[in-house]
Amino acid sequence: MSSPTARWPDTVRCVDPVRNPYAPGAGQRPPELAGRGRELDVFDIVLERIARGRPERSLMLTGLRGVGKTVLLNTLRSQAINRLWGSGKIEARPDQSLRRPVAAALHMAVRELAPRHRAPDRIDAFLGVLKAFAMRAAPTGRGGAAPKLRDRWQPGIDVPASSGRADSGDIEIDLVELLTDAAAVASDVGTGVAIFIDEMQDLGPEDVSALCAACHELSQIGAPLIVVGAGLPHLPAVLSAAKSYSERLFRYQRIDRLDRIAADQALCAPAEREEVEYEPKALDLLYEKSGGYPYFVQAYGKATWDHAPRSPITAADVRVAAPEAEAELAVGFFGSRFERATPAEREYMRAMATLSLVEAEAGGTIRDDMDAAVPTAEIARALGRKPASLSPARDALIKKGLIYSGERGTVAFTVPHFGRYLRTQPA
Ligand SMILES: Nc1ncnc2c1ncn2[C@@H]1O[C@H](COP(=O)(O)OP(=O)(O)O)[C@@H](O)[C@H]1O
Ligand SMILES: [Mg+2]
């Protein structure tokens, strides 16, 4: 990095808060998507191969909260759109069936393809199948309950629902038929269909199973359709629990914190566009604070910019701004999640937080911001309880997406630095 003072020897550049480029927030597009070049390149090749009928696996992005899975997923979607693919996006939610969101996503995808299609009746035929699929609730509703009133939902498709395809009520059969037809429409215009599924670990087991089966079937017939998922680190376990062959079906990409070069780029590239620079010591300190986690990079970057009176931004500016960044993270990133937990679940997480530091130290990691996975048996011992009596709390925390079980018999936080946050909270 060139010396900032060499560039502006006489003038003092103000750092204008109005022009603050950083964007901390879930799914917020960063001013610079740093360190993801490899993932973008891989996806370009995947799209090209699928469009040419070559075999390719669907992609699954996994990682902790705040590492940038959602923004990467959105960027991959833009890549697909740029190649004139039809695309749609779903955010999975616990206890929500896949049927309707998938119908909405495919509706979107086919609408993108329709203007380039030469046979409008083919589009209408697909929309008829899509409507039948969407309106076909599971025979008795999910979980055996009678379908609720809101389940009698009508998709905004003004073509009559057809019958006999994708409307059996068995999600696995229906999904295979629907996706096959969607891919055929895309094939007609020489591209493909890409479906993006965020928070994929929240899909129900039946839906996961159906989706795996559909991906398997479509890849065998070389249909131009890809599913790109994003989820927490235990997503591979969720998928392989549904279908043992899922490991071969998907290509997993671990999305992790940014290395030093990428983190500096995430801060410096947007600043440079505003003619603002950082002193190297400021960048050292920012990396130490953020640990390279993209959410934290944005949060500390934003607070520092707001406090810095002039360019170049100094380490002293970072030090003054850090408490504000931490206060905002405590409320918006950590606190909002902690509040979802019941008292029993909070107690469980506090025990985890204490133990994760011990585990980290035992594993040779001495930094307070590294949270190691913790054996559940240790948590039970620390709380003086029988392991089985803690299962409900553990399962609820997994369902709420606060912890995950990467390896059997252990749990870890899905939120980076969460252990440290909890250790600073009064009991
Ligand atoms: N590659 C990146 N470079 C810089 N900032 C990023 C990058 N990826 C994500 N961010 C920022 O990190 C934050 C979290 O991103 P998000 O996609 O919501 O993470 P996740 O979905 O993994 O929880 C957002 O503020 C976003 O702007
Ligand atoms: Mg996300």
Side-chain angles (χ1 to χ4, degrees):
M1 193 159 298
S2 67
S3 157
T5 42
R7 224 168 122 191
W8 296 302
D10 306 317
T11 49
V12 174
R13 293 273 161 170
C14 288
V15 179
D16 180 359
V18 174
R19 310 194 61 125
N20 193 327
Y22 304 112
Q28 287 280 324
R29 193 164 84 174
E32 176 82 9
L33 186 79
R36 303 294 182 228
R38 196 178 63 87
E39 287 80 5
L40 300 180
D41 291 346
V42 164
F43 192 58
D44 250 336
I45 294 169
V46 167
L47 288 176
E48 187 62 40
R49 284 177 55 85
I50 294 181
R52 293 184 189 190
R54 300 282 173 146
E56 259 303 338
R57 286 174 294 174
S58 283
L59 287 178
M60 294 293 142
L61 314 173
T62 67
L64 298 175
R65 299 215 178 269
V67 291
K69 301 177 299 296
T70 298
V71 301
L72 182 56
L73 205 61
N74 293 341
T75 309
L76 299 182
R77 185 176 179 194
S78 304
Q79 250 175 294
I81 292 171
N82 286 342
R83 285 179 170 264
L84 304 177
W85 280 46
S87 74
K89 192 180 156 191
I90 295 166
E91 190 180 313
R93 301 217 171 88
D95 302 320
Q96 188 196 50
S97 147
L98 183 63
R99 194 174 278 267
R100 240 159 256 168
V102 99
L106 283 173
H107 192 194
M108 177 73 96
V110 167
R111 278 164 56 135
E112 286 167 2
L113 298 170
R116 276 172 285 124
H117 203 287
R118 295 237 178 86
D121 48 324
R122 284 265 288 162
I123 300 287
D124 284 354
F126 174 76
L127 291 177
V129 173
L130 182 62
K131 192 170 189 173
F133 172 88
M135 291 173 66
R136 186 70 164 98
T140 48
R142 208 164 153 185
K148 297 194 196 81
L149 197 61
R150 65 180 166 83
D151 283 342
R152 273 185 242 135
W153 162 89
Q154 292 268 340
I157 298 174
D158 29 280
V159 165
S162 60
S163 81
R165 197 155 168 81
D167 62 352
S168 74
D170 179 328
I171 184 72
E172 191 159 322
I173 296 170
D174 294 353
L175 203 57
V176 169
E177 291 181 349
L178 185 73
L179 296 184
T180 306
D181 288 7
V185 170
S187 216
D188 292 343
V189 300
T191 63
V193 169
I195 303 173
F196 298 86
I197 307 182
D198 205 357
E199 304 290 352
M200 192 157 163
Q201 76 284 338
D202 284 341
L203 287 180
E206 252 181 43
D207 287 344
V208 171
S209 200
L211 204 63
C212 289
C215 286
H216 194 41
E217 181 83 17
L218 269 87
S219 73
Q220 283 171 354
I221 57 173
L225 185 136
I226 188 173
V227 173
V228 186
L232 293 174
H234 63 295
L235 177 61
V238 168
L239 297 179
S240 63
K243 291 273 192 240
S244 55
Y245 56 74
S246 76
E247 275 155 52
R248 279 165 286 135
L249 203 54
F250 302 116
R251 182 204 293 239
Y252 292 103
Q253 286 185 311
R254 176 86 194 205
I255 308 304
D256 218 329
R257 34 207 206 118
L258 302 174
D259 63 20
R260 175 64 197 264
I261 292 169
D264 285 1
Q265 194 202 340
L267 291 165
C268 294
E272 203 170 298
R273 293 193 278 271
E274 304 295 337
E275 302 193 331
V276 168
E277 293 202 340
Y278 288 87
E279 279 186 350
K281 284 221 166 68
L283 292 172
D284 290 346
L285 190 55
L286 280 165
Y287 194 71
E288 192 187 309
K289 301 240 171 238
S290 72
Y293 285 106
Y295 198 108
F296 302 152
V297 169
Q298 299 296 329
Y300 283 100
K302 178 146 198 267
T304 300
W305 183 289
D306 281 345
H307 278 88
R310 67 190 64 84
S311 177
I313 292 171
T314 65
D317 295 333
V318 179
R319 242 172 259 122
V320 172
E324 184 183 305
E326 277 143 27
E328 268 173 30
L329 287 168
V331 175
F333 193 64
F334 301 119
S336 62
R337 297 203 155 80
F338 189 57
E339 270 152 30
R340 284 184 222 155
T342 64
E345 292 159 15
R346 289 178 188 189
E347 194 190 24
Y348 189 94
M349 288 195 294
R350 283 188 203 284
M352 258 181 85
T354 309
L355 290 166
S356 68
L357 190 60
V358 177
E359 289 291 324
E361 277 166 356
T365 329
I366 32 162
R367 285 179 52 170
D368 180 40
D369 58 359
M370 302 297 248
D371 290 312
V374 179
T376 50
E378 294 289 326
I379 301 171
R381 195 169 312 144
L383 292 172
R385 302 269 300 271
K386 289 214 177 71
S389 74
L390 291 172
S391 304
R394 185 202 56 204
D395 292 350
L397 286 168
I398 292 177
K399 195 163 178 191
K400 289 178 185 174
L402 285 159
I403 67 172
Y404 71 101
S405 176
E407 273 171 66
R408 228 183 134 68
T410 70
V411 283
F413 291 115
T414 60
V415 178
H417 296 185
F418 202 61
R420 180 170 70 179
Y421 163 77
L422 290 179
R423 288 191 291 272
T424 62
Q425 293 300 297

